[in-house]
Coordinates of all heavy atoms in Angstrom, one line a residue:
M1 N 6.7 -32.4 -11.1 CA 6.8 -31.5 -9.8 C 5.3 -30.9 -9.6 O 4.7 -30.6 -10.5 CB 7.7 -30.4 -10.1 CG 7.9 -29.4 -9.0 SD 9.3 -28.3 -9.3 CE 8.5 -26.7 -8.8
I2 N 4.9 -31.1 -8.4 CA 3.6 -30.6 -8.0 C 3.8 -29.4 -7.1 O 4.5 -29.4 -6.1 CB 2.9 -31.7 -7.2 CG1 2.6 -32.8 -8.1 CG2 1.5 -31.2 -6.6 CD1 2.0 -34.1 -7.4
I3 N 3.1 -28.2 -7.5 CA 3.1 -27.1 -6.7 C 1.8 -26.9 -6.0 O 0.8 -26.8 -6.6 CB 3.3 -25.8 -7.6 CG1 4.8 -26.1 -8.4 CG2 3.4 -24.6 -6.8 CD1 4.9 -25.0 -9.5
F4 N 1.9 -26.8 -4.7 CA 0.6 -26.6 -4.0 C 0.9 -25.6 -2.8 O 2.0 -25.4 -2.5 CB 0.0 -27.9 -3.5 CG 0.9 -28.6 -2.6 CD1 0.7 -28.4 -1.1 CD2 1.8 -29.5 -2.9 CE1 1.4 -29.1 -0.3 CE2 2.6 -30.3 -2.1 CZ 2.4 -30.1 -0.7
G5 N -0.2 -25.0 -2.3 CA -0.2 -24.2 -1.2 C -1.5 -23.7 -0.7 O -2.5 -24.4 -1.0
T6 N -1.5 -22.6 -0.1 CA -2.8 -22.0 0.4 C -2.8 -20.6 0.0 O -1.8 -19.9 -0.2 CB -3.1 -22.2 1.8 OG1 -2.0 -21.5 2.5 CG2 -3.1 -23.7 2.3
K7 N -4.1 -20.1 -0.2 CA -4.3 -18.7 -0.6 C -5.4 -18.2 0.3 O -6.4 -18.8 0.6 CB -4.6 -18.6 -1.9 CG -4.6 -17.1 -2.6 CD -4.7 -17.2 -4.1 CE -4.4 -16.0 -4.7 NZ -4.9 -14.7 -4.2
G8 N -5.2 -17.0 0.8 CA -6.2 -16.4 1.7 C -7.1 -15.3 1.0 O -6.7 -14.6 0.2
Y9 N -8.4 -15.4 1.4 CA -9.3 -14.5 0.8 C -10.1 -13.8 1.9 O -10.3 -14.4 2.9 CB -10.3 -15.2 -0.1 CG -9.7 -15.9 -1.4 CD1 -9.2 -17.2 -1.3 CD2 -9.8 -15.2 -2.5 CE1 -8.7 -17.8 -2.4 CE2 -9.2 -15.8 -3.7 CZ -8.7 -17.1 -3.6 OH -8.1 -17.7 -4.7
L10 N -10.4 -12.6 1.6 CA -11.1 -11.9 2.7 C -12.4 -11.2 2.0 O -12.3 -10.5 1.0 CB -10.2 -10.7 3.2 CG -10.9 -9.9 4.3 CD1 -11.2 -10.7 5.6 CD2 -9.8 -8.7 4.8
Y11 N -13.5 -11.6 2.6 CA -14.8 -11.0 2.0 C -15.4 -10.1 3.0 O -15.6 -10.6 4.2 CB -15.7 -12.2 1.6 CG -15.2 -13.1 0.7 CD1 -14.5 -14.4 1.2 CD2 -15.2 -13.0 -0.6 CE1 -14.1 -15.2 0.3 CE2 -14.8 -13.9 -1.6 CZ -14.2 -15.1 -1.1 OH -13.7 -16.1 -1.9
Q12 N -16.0 -9.0 2.6 CA -16.7 -8.3 3.5 C -18.2 -8.5 3.3 O -18.7 -8.3 2.2 CB -16.5 -6.7 3.3 CG -17.2 -5.8 4.3 CD -16.7 -4.5 4.4 OE1 -15.5 -4.2 4.6 NE2 -17.6 -3.5 4.1
L13 N -18.8 -9.0 4.3 CA -20.2 -9.5 4.2 C -21.2 -8.5 4.4 O -22.2 -8.4 3.8 CB -20.4 -10.7 5.0 CG -19.4 -12.0 4.9 CD1 -19.7 -13.1 5.9 CD2 -19.6 -12.5 3.5
A14 N -21.0 -7.7 5.5 CA -22.0 -6.7 5.9 C -21.4 -5.7 6.8 O -20.4 -5.8 7.3 CB -23.2 -7.5 6.6
I15 N -22.2 -4.5 7.0 CA -21.8 -3.6 8.0 C -23.0 -3.5 8.9 O -24.1 -3.2 8.3 CB -21.4 -2.3 7.3 CG1 -20.1 -2.5 6.4 CG2 -21.2 -1.2 8.3 CD1 -19.8 -1.2 5.7
L16 N -22.8 -3.6 10.2 CA -23.9 -3.4 11.0 C -23.5 -2.7 12.3 O -22.3 -2.5 12.6 CB -24.6 -4.7 11.5 CG -23.9 -6.1 11.1 CD1 -22.8 -6.5 12.0 CD2 -25.0 -7.0 11.0
T17 N -24.6 -2.1 12.9 CA -24.3 -1.2 14.1 C -24.4 -2.2 15.3 O -25.5 -2.8 15.5 CB -25.4 -0.1 14.2 OG1 -25.2 0.6 13.1 CG2 -25.0 0.7 15.4
L18 N -23.4 -2.4 16.0 CA -23.4 -3.2 17.2 C -22.8 -2.5 18.3 O -22.0 -1.5 18.1 CB -22.6 -4.5 17.0 CG -23.0 -5.4 15.9 CD1 -21.9 -6.4 15.6 CD2 -24.3 -6.1 16.1
V19 N -23.1 -2.9 19.6 CA -22.4 -2.3 20.7 C -21.1 -3.1 20.9 O -21.1 -4.3 21.0 CB -23.2 -2.5 22.0 CG1 -22.4 -1.9 23.3 CG2 -24.5 -1.6 21.9
C20 N -20.0 -2.4 20.8 CA -18.7 -3.1 20.8 C -18.4 -3.5 22.3 O -18.6 -2.8 23.3 CB -17.6 -2.0 20.4 SG -16.0 -2.6 20.5
G21 N -17.8 -4.8 22.3 CA -17.4 -5.3 23.5 C -16.2 -4.7 24.1 O -15.8 -4.9 25.3
Q22 N -15.5 -4.1 23.2 CA -14.1 -3.5 23.7 C -14.3 -2.1 24.2 O -13.9 -1.8 25.3 CB -13.2 -3.6 22.5 CG -11.8 -3.0 22.7 CD -11.0 -4.0 23.5 OE1 -11.2 -5.2 23.6 NE2 -9.9 -3.5 24.1
C23 N -14.8 -1.2 23.3 CA -15.0 0.2 23.7 C -16.4 0.5 24.2 O -16.5 1.7 24.7 CB -14.5 1.1 22.6 SG -15.6 1.0 21.1
G24 N -17.4 -0.3 24.0 CA -18.7 0.0 24.6 C -19.5 0.9 23.8 O -20.6 1.3 24.1
N25 N -18.9 1.3 22.6 CA -19.8 2.2 21.7 C -20.7 1.6 20.8 O -20.3 0.6 20.2 CB -18.8 3.1 20.9 CG -18.1 4.2 21.7 OD1 -18.8 5.1 22.2 ND2 -16.8 4.1 21.9
P26 N -21.9 2.0 20.6 CA -22.8 1.5 19.5 C -22.2 1.9 18.2 O -22.8 3.0 17.7 CB -24.1 1.9 19.9 CG -23.9 3.2 20.8 CD -22.6 3.1 21.3
S27 N -21.3 1.3 17.6 CA -20.7 1.8 16.4 C -20.9 0.8 15.2 O -21.3 -0.3 15.4 CB -19.3 2.2 16.6 OG -18.6 0.9 17.0
A28 N -20.5 1.2 14.0 CA -20.5 0.3 12.8 C -19.4 -0.7 13.0 O -18.4 -0.5 13.4 CB -20.3 1.2 11.6
H29 N -19.9 -1.9 12.7 CA -19.0 -3.1 12.7 C -18.9 -3.7 11.3 O -20.0 -3.8 10.7 CB -19.4 -4.1 13.7 CG -19.1 -3.8 15.1 ND1 -19.6 -2.7 15.8 CD2 -18.2 -4.3 16.0 CE1 -19.2 -2.6 17.0 NE2 -18.3 -3.6 17.2
T30 N -17.8 -4.0 10.9 CA -17.8 -4.8 9.6 C -17.9 -6.3 9.9 O -17.1 -6.7 10.9 CB -16.6 -4.5 8.8 OG1 -15.4 -4.7 9.5 CG2 -16.5 -3.1 8.2
L31 N -18.6 -7.1 9.1 CA -18.6 -8.5 9.4 C -17.8 -9.1 8.1 O -18.1 -8.8 6.9 CB -20.0 -9.1 9.3 CG -20.1 -10.6 9.3 CD1 -19.6 -11.2 10.6 CD2 -21.6 -11.0 9.0
R32 N -16.8 -9.8 8.4 CA -15.9 -10.3 7.4 C -15.7 -11.9 7.5 O -15.7 -12.4 8.6 CB -14.5 -9.7 7.4 CG -14.5 -8.2 7.1 CD -13.1 -7.7 7.1 NE -13.1 -6.3 6.7 CZ -12.4 -5.4 7.4 NH1 -11.6 -5.7 8.4 NH2 -12.5 -4.1 7.1
K33 N -15.5 -12.4 6.3 CA -15.2 -13.9 6.2 C -13.9 -14.0 5.7 O -13.5 -13.4 4.6 CB -16.3 -14.4 5.2 CG -16.0 -16.0 5.1 CD -17.3 -16.7 4.5 CE -17.3 -16.7 3.0 NZ -18.2 -17.6 2.4
R34 N -13.1 -14.8 6.3 CA -11.7 -15.2 5.9 C -11.7 -16.6 5.4 O -12.1 -17.5 6.2 CB -10.7 -15.0 7.0 CG -10.4 -13.5 7.3 CD -9.4 -13.4 8.4 NE -9.2 -12.0 8.7 CZ -8.5 -11.6 9.8 NH1 -8.0 -12.4 10.6 NH2 -8.3 -10.3 10.0
V35 N -11.3 -16.7 4.2 CA -11.4 -18.2 3.7 C -9.9 -18.5 3.3 O -9.3 -17.7 2.5 CB -12.2 -18.3 2.4 CG1 -12.3 -19.8 2.0 CG2 -13.7 -18.0 2.9
T36 N -9.4 -19.6 3.8 CA -8.1 -20.2 3.2 C -8.4 -21.3 2.3 O -9.0 -22.2 2.8 CB -7.2 -20.6 4.4 OG1 -7.1 -19.5 5.4 CG2 -5.9 -21.0 4.0
K37 N -7.8 -21.1 1.1 CA -8.1 -22.2 0.1 C -6.9 -23.0 -0.3 O -5.8 -22.4 -0.3 CB -8.7 -21.6 -1.2 CG -10.2 -21.2 -1.0 CD -10.8 -20.8 -2.3 CE -12.2 -20.4 -2.1 NZ -12.9 -19.9 -3.2
F38 N -7.0 -24.2 -0.4 CA -5.9 -25.1 -0.9 C -5.7 -24.8 -2.4 O -6.7 -24.8 -3.1 CB -6.2 -26.5 -0.6 CG -5.2 -27.5 -1.1 CD1 -4.1 -27.8 -0.4 CD2 -5.3 -28.1 -2.3 CE1 -3.1 -28.6 -0.8 CE2 -4.4 -29.0 -2.8 CZ -3.3 -29.3 -2.0
T39 N -4.5 -24.6 -2.7 CA -4.3 -24.4 -4.2 C -3.3 -25.4 -4.7 O -2.4 -25.9 -4.1 CB -3.6 -23.0 -4.5 OG1 -2.3 -22.9 -3.8 CG2 -4.5 -21.8 -4.0
L40 N -3.5 -25.8 -6.0 CA -2.8 -26.7 -6.7 C -2.4 -26.1 -8.0 O -3.3 -25.7 -8.7 CB -3.5 -28.1 -6.9 CG -2.7 -29.2 -7.5 CD1 -1.5 -29.6 -6.5 CD2 -3.5 -30.4 -7.8
F41 N -1.0 -25.9 -8.3 CA -0.6 -25.2 -9.4 C -1.3 -23.8 -9.5 O -1.7 -23.3 -10.5 CB -0.9 -25.9 -10.7 CG -0.1 -27.2 -10.7 CD1 -0.7 -28.4 -10.6 CD2 1.4 -27.2 -11.0 CE1 0.0 -29.6 -10.7 CE2 2.0 -28.4 -11.0 CZ 1.4 -29.6 -10.9
F42 N -1.3 -23.2 -8.3 CA -1.9 -21.8 -8.1 C -3.4 -21.7 -8.4 O -3.9 -20.6 -8.5 CB -1.1 -20.8 -9.1 CG 0.3 -20.9 -8.7 CD1 1.2 -21.4 -9.7 CD2 1.0 -20.4 -7.6 CE1 2.6 -21.5 -9.6 CE2 2.3 -20.5 -7.4 CZ 3.1 -21.1 -8.3
V43 N -4.0 -22.8 -8.6 CA -5.5 -22.8 -8.8 C -6.2 -23.2 -7.5 O -5.9 -24.3 -6.9 CB -6.0 -23.8 -9.9 CG1 -7.5 -23.9 -10.0 CG2 -5.2 -23.6 -11.2
P44 N -7.0 -22.3 -7.0 CA -7.7 -22.6 -5.7 C -8.6 -23.7 -5.9 O -9.5 -23.7 -6.8 CB -8.3 -21.3 -5.4 CG -8.3 -20.4 -6.5 CD -7.2 -20.9 -7.4
L45 N -8.6 -24.8 -5.1 CA -9.5 -25.9 -5.2 C -10.6 -25.9 -4.3 O -11.8 -26.0 -4.6 CB -8.7 -27.2 -5.1 CG -7.6 -27.5 -6.3 CD1 -7.0 -28.8 -6.0 CD2 -8.3 -27.5 -7.6
F46 N -10.3 -25.9 -3.0 CA -11.3 -26.0 -1.9 C -10.9 -25.3 -0.7 O -9.7 -25.2 -0.5 CB -11.7 -27.5 -1.7 CG -10.4 -28.3 -1.3 CD1 -10.0 -28.4 0.0 CD2 -9.8 -29.0 -2.3 CE1 -9.0 -29.1 0.3 CE2 -8.7 -29.8 -1.9 CZ -8.3 -29.9 -0.6
P47 N -11.8 -24.7 0.1 CA -11.5 -24.1 1.3 C -11.1 -25.1 2.4 O -11.7 -26.1 2.6 CB -12.7 -23.3 1.6 CG -13.8 -24.1 1.0 CD -13.3 -24.8 -0.3
V48 N -10.0 -24.6 3.0 CA -9.5 -25.6 4.2 C -9.9 -24.9 5.5 O -9.9 -25.6 6.5 CB -8.0 -25.8 4.1 CG1 -7.6 -26.7 3.0 CG2 -7.2 -24.5 4.0
S49 N -10.2 -23.6 5.4 CA -10.6 -23.1 6.7 C -11.4 -21.8 6.4 O -11.1 -21.1 5.5 CB -9.4 -22.7 7.6 OG -9.1 -21.4 7.7
T50 N -12.5 -21.6 7.2 CA -13.4 -20.4 7.0 C -13.5 -19.8 8.4 O -13.9 -20.5 9.3 CB -14.7 -20.9 6.4 OG1 -14.5 -21.6 5.2 CG2 -15.6 -19.6 6.2
K51 N -13.3 -18.6 8.5 CA -13.4 -17.9 9.8 C -14.1 -16.6 9.6 O -14.1 -16.0 8.6 CB -12.0 -17.5 10.4 CG -11.3 -18.8 10.9 CD -9.8 -18.3 11.4 CE -9.1 -19.6 11.7 NZ -7.7 -19.3 11.8
Y52 N -15.0 -16.2 10.6 CA -15.7 -15.1 10.5 C -15.3 -14.2 11.7 O -15.1 -14.6 12.9 CB -17.2 -15.4 10.7 CG -17.8 -16.2 9.6 CD1 -17.8 -17.6 9.7 CD2 -18.4 -15.6 8.5 CE1 -18.3 -18.3 8.7 CE2 -18.9 -16.3 7.5 CZ -18.9 -17.7 7.6 OH -19.4 -18.4 6.6
V53 N -15.2 -13.0 11.4 CA -14.8 -11.9 12.4 C -15.7 -10.6 12.2 O -16.0 -10.3 11.1 CB -13.4 -11.5 12.4 CG1 -12.4 -12.6 12.8 CG2 -12.9 -11.0 11.1
T54 N -16.0 -10.0 13.3 CA -16.5 -8.6 13.2 C -15.4 -7.7 13.8 O -14.6 -8.0 14.6 CB -17.7 -8.5 14.2 OG1 -17.4 -8.7 15.5 CG2 -18.8 -9.4 13.7
Q55 N -15.4 -6.5 13.1 CA -14.4 -5.6 13.5 C -15.2 -4.2 13.8 O -15.8 -3.7 13.0 CB -13.3 -5.3 12.5 CG -12.2 -4.4 13.1 CD -11.0 -4.3 12.0 OE1 -11.2 -4.4 10.8 NE2 -9.9 -4.0 12.6
C56 N -14.8 -3.6 15.0 CA -15.4 -2.4 15.3 C -14.6 -1.2 14.6 O -13.4 -1.2 14.5 CB -15.2 -2.1 16.8 SG -15.7 -0.6 17.4
T57 N -15.5 -0.4 13.9 CA -14.8 0.7 13.1 C -14.4 1.8 14.0 O -13.7 2.7 13.6 CB -15.7 1.2 12.0 OG1 -16.9 1.6 12.7 CG2 -16.0 0.2 11.0
F58 N -14.9 1.7 15.2 CA -14.5 2.9 16.2 C -13.1 2.7 16.9 O -12.3 3.5 16.8 CB -15.6 2.9 17.2 CG -15.5 4.3 18.1 CD1 -16.1 5.4 17.6 CD2 -14.9 4.2 19.3 CE1 -16.0 6.5 18.4 CE2 -14.8 5.3 20.1 CZ -15.3 6.5 19.6
C59 N -12.9 1.5 17.3 CA -11.6 1.1 18.1 C -10.8 0.1 17.3 O -9.7 -0.1 17.7 CB -11.9 0.7 19.5 SG -12.6 -0.9 19.7
G60 N -11.4 -0.6 16.3 CA -10.6 -1.5 15.6 C -10.6 -2.9 16.2 O -9.8 -3.8 15.6
A61 N -11.2 -3.2 17.3 CA -11.2 -4.5 18.0 C -11.9 -5.5 17.1 O -13.0 -5.2 16.6 CB -11.9 -4.4 19.3
E62 N -11.3 -6.6 16.9 CA -11.8 -7.7 16.2 C -12.3 -8.8 17.1 O -11.8 -9.1 18.2 CB -10.7 -8.4 15.3 CG -10.5 -7.6 14.0 CD -9.7 -8.6 13.1 OE1 -9.4 -9.7 13.3 OE2 -9.3 -8.0 12.0
Q63 N -13.5 -9.4 16.8 CA -14.0 -10.5 17.5 C -14.4 -11.6 16.6 O -15.0 -11.4 15.5 CB -15.3 -9.9 18.3 CG -15.7 -10.9 19.3 CD -17.0 -10.5 20.1 OE1 -17.4 -9.3 19.8 NE2 -17.5 -11.3 20.8
K64 N -14.0 -12.8 17.0 CA -14.3 -13.9 16.2 C -15.8 -14.3 16.4 O -16.3 -14.3 17.5 CB -13.4 -15.1 16.6 CG -12.1 -15.1 16.0 CD -11.3 -16.2 16.4 CE -9.7 -15.9 16.1 NZ -8.8 -16.8 16.7
V65 N -16.5 -14.7 15.4 CA -17.9 -15.3 15.5 C -18.0 -16.6 14.8 O -17.2 -16.9 13.9 CB -18.9 -14.2 15.0 CG1 -18.9 -12.9 15.8 CG2 -18.6 -13.9 13.5
T66 N -18.9 -17.3 15.2 CA -19.2 -18.6 14.5 C -19.9 -18.4 13.2 O -20.5 -17.3 12.9 CB -20.0 -19.5 15.4 OG1 -21.3 -18.9 15.5 CG2 -19.4 -19.8 16.7
G67 N -19.9 -19.4 12.4 CA -20.7 -19.3 11.1 C -22.2 -19.0 11.3 O -22.8 -18.3 10.6
E68 N -22.7 -19.6 12.4 CA -24.1 -19.4 12.7 C -24.4 -17.9 13.1 O -25.3 -17.2 12.6 CB -24.6 -20.3 13.8 CG -25.0 -21.6 13.4 CD -25.5 -22.5 14.6 OE1 -25.9 -21.8 15.7 OE2 -25.5 -23.7 14.5
Q69 N -23.5 -17.4 13.9 CA -23.6 -16.0 14.3 C -23.5 -15.1 13.1 O -24.2 -14.1 13.0 CB -22.5 -15.6 15.4 CG -22.8 -16.2 16.7 CD -21.7 -16.0 17.6 OE1 -20.6 -16.2 17.3 NE2 -21.9 -15.5 18.9
A70 N -22.5 -15.4 12.3 CA -22.3 -14.6 11.1 C -23.7 -14.6 10.2 O -23.9 -13.5 9.6 CB -21.2 -15.1 10.3
E71 N -24.2 -15.7 10.0 CA -25.5 -15.7 9.2 C -26.5 -14.9 9.9 O -27.3 -14.2 9.2 CB -26.0 -17.2 9.2 CG -25.3 -17.9 8.0 CD -25.9 -19.4 7.9 OE1 -27.1 -19.6 8.4 OE2 -25.2 -20.3 7.5
Q72 N -26.6 -15.0 11.2 CA -27.7 -14.2 11.9 C -27.3 -12.7 11.7 O -28.3 -11.9 11.5 CB -27.7 -14.5 13.5 CG -28.3 -15.8 13.8 CD -28.1 -16.2 15.1 OE1 -27.6 -15.4 16.0 NE2 -28.6 -17.4 15.5
L73 N -26.1 -12.4 11.8 CA -25.7 -10.9 11.6 C -26.0 -10.4 10.3 O -26.4 -9.3 10.1 CB -24.2 -10.7 12.0 CG -23.8 -10.9 13.4 CD1 -22.4 -10.9 13.6 CD2 -24.4 -9.8 14.3
Q74 N -25.7 -11.3 9.3 CA -26.1 -10.8 7.9 C -27.6 -10.8 7.7 O -28.0 -9.9 7.0 CB -25.5 -12.0 7.0 CG -24.1 -11.9 6.6 CD -23.9 -12.9 5.4 OE1 -23.9 -12.4 4.2 NE2 -23.4 -14.0 5.7
A75 N -28.4 -11.6 8.3 CA -29.8 -11.5 8.2 C -30.3 -10.2 8.8 O -31.1 -9.5 8.3 CB -30.5 -12.7 8.8
Q76 N -29.6 -9.9 10.0 CA -29.9 -8.7 10.8 C -29.6 -7.5 9.9 O -30.4 -6.5 9.8 CB -29.2 -8.6 12.0 CG -29.5 -7.6 13.1 CD -28.5 -7.8 14.2 OE1 -28.3 -8.9 14.7 NE2 -28.1 -6.7 14.8
A77 N -28.5 -7.5 9.3 CA -28.0 -6.4 8.4 C -28.9 -6.2 7.2 O -29.3 -5.1 6.8 CB -26.6 -6.6 7.9
A78 N -29.4 -7.3 6.6 CA -30.3 -7.2 5.4 C -31.7 -6.8 5.8 O -32.3 -6.1 5.0 CB -30.3 -8.7 4.8
S79 N -32.2 -7.0 7.0 CA -33.6 -6.8 7.4 C -33.8 -5.5 7.8 O -34.9 -4.9 7.8 CB -34.0 -7.8 8.5 OG -33.3 -7.5 9.7
G80 N -32.8 -4.7 8.2 CA -33.0 -3.4 8.7 C -31.8 -2.5 8.7 O -30.7 -3.0 8.4
G81 N -32.0 -1.3 9.3 CA -30.8 -0.5 9.5 C -30.2 0.1 8.2 O -30.7 1.0 7.6
H82 N -29.1 -0.6 7.8 CA -28.4 0.0 6.6 C -29.0 -0.3 5.2 O -28.6 0.4 4.3 CB -26.9 -0.4 6.7 CG -26.2 0.1 7.9 ND1 -25.7 1.3 8.0 CD2 -26.0 -0.6 9.1 CE1 -25.1 1.4 9.1 NE2 -25.3 0.3 9.9
G83 N -29.9 -1.2 5.1 CA -30.5 -1.5 3.9 C -29.5 -1.7 2.7 O -29.7 -1.3 1.6
G84 N -28.4 -2.3 3.0 CA -27.5 -2.6 1.9 C -26.6 -1.5 1.5 O -25.8 -1.7 0.7
Q85 N -26.7 -0.4 2.2 CA -25.7 0.7 1.9 C -24.3 0.4 2.3 O -24.0 -0.2 3.3 CB -26.2 2.0 2.7 CG -27.1 2.9 2.0 CD -27.3 4.2 2.8 OE1 -26.4 4.6 3.5 NE2 -28.5 4.7 2.6
Q86 N -23.4 0.8 1.4 CA -22.0 0.5 1.6 C -21.3 1.9 1.8 O -20.5 2.3 0.9 CB -21.4 -0.3 0.5 CG -21.9 -1.7 0.4 CD -21.4 -2.6 1.4 OE1 -20.2 -2.5 1.8 NE2 -22.1 -3.6 2.0
S87 N -21.7 2.7 2.7 CA -21.3 4.1 2.7 C -20.0 4.2 3.4 O -19.4 5.3 3.3 CB -22.3 4.9 3.5 OG -22.5 4.4 4.8
Y88 N -19.4 3.2 3.9 CA -18.2 3.3 4.6 C -16.9 3.2 3.6 O -15.9 3.7 3.9 CB -18.0 2.3 5.7 CG -19.0 2.7 6.9 CD1 -20.3 2.2 6.8 CD2 -18.6 3.6 7.8 CE1 -21.2 2.5 7.9 CE2 -19.4 3.9 8.8 CZ -20.7 3.4 8.8 OH -21.7 3.8 9.8
G89 N -17.2 2.4 2.5 CA -16.3 2.4 1.4 C -14.8 2.1 1.7 O -14.0 2.7 1.1
Q90 N -14.7 1.2 2.5 CA -13.3 0.8 2.9 C -12.8 -0.1 1.7 O -13.5 -1.0 1.3 CB -13.1 0.0 4.2 CG -13.3 1.0 5.4 CD -13.2 0.1 6.7 OE1 -13.1 -1.1 6.7 NE2 -13.0 0.9 7.8
P91 N -11.6 0.2 1.3 CA -11.1 -0.7 0.2 C -10.8 -2.1 0.7 O -10.4 -2.3 1.8 CB -9.7 0.0 -0.2 CG -9.4 0.8 0.9 CD -10.7 1.2 1.6
Q92 N -11.0 -3.0 -0.2 CA -10.8 -4.5 0.2 C -9.3 -4.7 0.3 O -8.6 -4.4 -0.7 CB -11.4 -5.3 -0.8 CG -12.9 -5.3 -0.9 CD -13.5 -6.3 0.3 OE1 -12.8 -6.9 0.9 NE2 -14.9 -6.2 0.3
Q93 N -8.9 -5.2 1.4 CA -7.5 -5.6 1.5 C -7.4 -7.0 1.3 O -8.1 -7.8 2.0 CB -7.0 -5.4 3.0 CG -7.1 -3.9 3.3 CD -6.0 -3.0 2.9 OE1 -5.0 -3.6 2.5 NE2 -6.2 -1.8 2.8
P94 N -6.5 -7.5 0.3 CA -6.3 -8.9 0.2 C -5.6 -9.5 1.4 O -4.7 -8.8 2.0 CB -5.4 -9.0 -1.0 CG -4.8 -7.7 -1.1 CD -5.7 -6.7 -0.5
Y95 N -6.2 -10.6 1.9 CA -5.8 -11.1 3.2 C -4.7 -12.3 2.8 O -4.9 -13.1 2.1 CB -6.9 -11.8 3.9 CG -6.5 -12.6 5.1 CD1 -6.0 -12.0 6.2 CD2 -6.7 -13.9 5.0 CE1 -5.6 -12.6 7.3 CE2 -6.2 -14.7 6.2 CZ -5.7 -14.1 7.3 OH -5.3 -14.9 8.3
Q96 N -3.5 -12.0 3.4 CA -2.4 -13.0 3.2 C -2.3 -13.8 4.5 O -2.1 -13.3 5.5 CB -1.1 -12.3 2.9 CG -1.2 -11.3 1.6 CD -1.3 -12.2 0.4 OE1 -0.8 -13.3 0.3 NE2 -1.8 -11.5 -0.7
S97 N -2.4 -15.1 4.3 CA -2.3 -15.9 5.4 C -0.8 -16.3 5.7 O 0.0 -16.3 4.7 CB -3.1 -17.2 5.4 OG -2.6 -18.0 4.4
Ligands
LIG101 ZN1 -15.0 -0.7 19.7

């Protein structure tokens, strides 16, 4: 008997200040990566899907971004502004797909 399935992972990559497309406020946004991995006997083997989203901490609106955009945003977050500070301290929520 072979047991397989998928498991979702959520990584918080960066926090940056962006103007929100939803509420229009220049507020902190979290950049997150959602990875769905194929598991065999509960061992994650390889990712089957990777998605990037930003979420406005002001209104909670989520926006999908491409991997390229996510890299740019990470570079932007690393180069200035917050300097790696994680002052928002939101607990990591395990993502269940
Ligand atoms: Zn917003």
Side-chain angles (χ1 to χ4, degrees):
M1 181 168 135
I2 295 173
I3 302 168
F4 63 92
T6 58
K7 194 171 191 316
Y9 295 86
L10 183 62
Y11 304 94
Q12 184 164 305
L13 302 177
I15 295 174
L16 5 90
T17 303
L18 301 169
V19 176
C20 177
Q22 180 77 19
C23 65
N25 284 295
S27 62
H29 285 63
T30 55
L31 174 66
R32 291 187 182 133
K33 180 165 88 165
R34 285 176 183 174
V35 182
T36 305
K37 285 186 178 171
F38 178 82
T39 61
L40 187 64
F41 296 107
F42 309 108
V43 178
L45 289 184
F46 54 86
V48 288
S49 107
T50 304
K51 287 174 188 166
Y52 296 90
V53 292
T54 59
Q55 185 176 28
C56 175
T57 56
F58 193 85
C59 71
E62 277 194 6
Q63 193 182 347
K64 285 179 191 166
V65 294
T66 65
E68 274 182 23
Q69 285 174 313
E71 275 183 27
Q72 286 173 4
L73 290 170
Q74 273 195 91
Q76 193 180 317
S79 66
H82 294 278
Q85 266 187 30
Q86 296 279 326
S87 55
Y88 292 87
Q90 288 182 346
Q92 291 279 357
Q93 299 279 340
Y95 173 70
Q96 301 291 334
S97 64

